[in-house]
Amino acid sequence: MTLAGRHAIPAVYATSPFVAAGGLISYGIDDSALFRQAGVYVGKILKGARPAELPVQQPTTFQLVVNLDTAKALKLTVPPSILARADEVIE
């Protein structure tokens, strides 16, 4: 059990695995999109591109995940506007 869970503190995490493990909410980069982009870079390098000449890119896809079971355990109500924007809702 995490410190936040032991003390019933709602916490926001940077990646969705924490929410799947019982965290309340995560908002951060979409790992699968990041790994796809890394694969594109590897492909370019294998085809002969020089790594120093490849542009630096920032993530453009972010993911909002909400765990309603945790919200219920913490006696919190998640606003409908948050649920509507969520990419994934764990019930």
Side-chain angles (χ1 to χ4, degrees), residues 15 18 23-24 26 29 46 53 56 58-59 61-62 65 86:
T15 58
F18 289 103
L24 179 61
S26 71
I29 59 172
L46 291 175
E53 295 175 356
V56 174
Q58 294 181 341
T61 308
F62 295 86
V65 181

Side-chain angles (χ1 to χ4, degrees), residues 13-90:
Y13 299 93
T15 58
S16 59
F18 289 103
V19 178
L24 179 61
I25 293 177
S26 71
Y27 183 71
I29 59 172
D30 181 1
D31 290 336
S32 61
L34 189 66
F35 294 141
R36 267 192 303 278
Q37 188 59 41
V40 170
Y41 264 47
V42 169
K44 289 179 181 182
I45 292 167
L46 291 175
K47 290 179 183 174
R50 292 181 38 167
E53 295 175 356
L54 292 175
V56 174
Q57 293 187 343
Q58 294 181 341
T60 57
T61 308
F62 295 86
Q63 189 176 39
L64 174 64
V65 181
V66 179
N67 188 327
L68 288 180
D69 289 337
T70 301
K72 183 178 176 183
L74 294 172
K75 297 181 176 121
L76 297 173
T77 302
V78 179
S81 59
I82 298 291
L83 294 175
R85 292 180 184 188
D87 296 296
E88 182 181 352
V89 176
I90 299 172

